[in-house]
Amino acid sequence: MIAFDIVDGRHRAARPCGRLLWNAADESWRIRIAEDAQPADVPFLLALALKRGEREIGMPWAARWVEERLVPAGRQNLGEILRAHGLREYDAVALLAEGRGACSHDDFVLRGPYDPETRPSAPDARKALRLSVGSAIAQCRKRQGLTQMQLAERAAVDQAIVSRIERGRANPTLDLIADLATALGVESKMILETSQGGE
């Protein structure tokens, strides 16, 4: 199984509104629409399914949605296109990855591919990142013998914000991480590296 996240390409940090799945065993496409997605949040074909109360689209409609995002296999200059992408033969998954699934019909693109069995869902990954950044800030603060209140005063923020960040309950901006790093006398890079297991 191979998966792509379906996202609104107009927003850099857009949350996936669905997931496109390729099953190589039976050569089928399937689309799962995110539980919190509304018709206005998804491509037109998916919005039609949502209006019917469906959150999963199988063959042949999923394949038709994919075909809109691919160079047609019968295209006259297909050889040139494949060479430009470093491919020897037509590979729909590789072409989707190379072109990000962009299409002239809408602004949605694909992120991936990835193995859905080993990759955490986007909300889980964001939560893990918040927890690791918060843990890195707490470790650095404790090494320096500072309380949360002292760090908050140095960074000119409320102590409750420091507490929420350290517990992974807040989504700090890079500017706020930089302010906390400065208050701790370290570079922002060090906090981010520590959160990724670099220390």
Side-chain angles (χ1 to χ4, degrees):
M1 187 76 69
I2 295 173
F4 292 87
D5 287 332
I6 303 170
V7 296
D8 186 338
R10 295 171 296 183
H11 308 289
R12 188 177 61 82
R15 291 180 55 199
C17 64
R19 186 180 273 186
L20 173 66
L21 300 159
W22 166 248
N23 185 341
D26 64 4
E27 298 187 340
S28 67
W29 292 101
R30 197 167 68 243
I31 297 172
R32 287 190 188 142
I33 303 169
E35 287 300 317
D36 59 348
Q38 300 299 314
D41 304 329
V42 299
F44 181 71
L45 178 69
L46 280 61
L48 294 175
L50 276 179
K51 288 177 182 175
R52 291 191 305 267
E54 300 170 13
R55 292 216 172 254
E56 184 139 345
I57 300 170
M59 297 290 279
W61 291 105
R64 288 185 183 174
W65 189 81
V66 169
E67 285 170 11
E68 291 179 348
R69 292 161 150 50
L70 286 172
V71 174
R75 188 160 167 170
Q76 188 173 6
N77 64 340
L78 183 63
E80 284 177 45
I81 293 168
L82 295 178
R83 278 191 298 280
H85 292 296
L87 300 173
R88 292 179 183 219
E89 59 188 38
Y90 193 86
D91 180 338
V93 172
L95 286 169
L96 281 173
E98 286 290 323
R100 298 181 58 222
C103 174
S104 62
H105 301 309
D106 58 43
D107 295 311
F108 291 88
V109 295
L110 300 174
R111 287 186 192 146
Y114 60 89
D115 180 348
E117 301 297 322
T118 60
R119 179 179 173 202
S121 68
D124 291 343
R126 285 192 293 274
K127 181 178 179 182
L129 181 59
R130 286 195 307 267
L131 286 168
S132 64
V133 167
S135 175
I137 290 169
Q139 288 172 27
C140 191
R141 175 183 61 76
K142 289 173 185 175
R143 274 197 304 267
Q144 295 187 25
L146 296 173
T147 66
Q148 286 183 348
M149 181 59 80
Q150 289 168 322
L151 175 57
E153 287 172 0
R154 287 184 180 187
V157 297
D158 191 72
Q159 183 269 330
I161 292 173
V162 173
S163 174
R164 290 184 65 230
I165 290 170
E166 289 188 358
R167 290 180 293 128
R169 299 289 174 94
N171 190 15
T173 63
L174 288 175
D175 287 341
L176 182 51
I177 292 171
D179 290 345
L180 292 168
T182 300
L184 289 165
V186 298
E187 292 183 29
S188 305
K189 182 173 124 179
M190 192 205 106
I191 289 178
L192 296 173
E193 286 174 352
T194 301
S195 74
Q196 296 299 313
E199 191 178 81

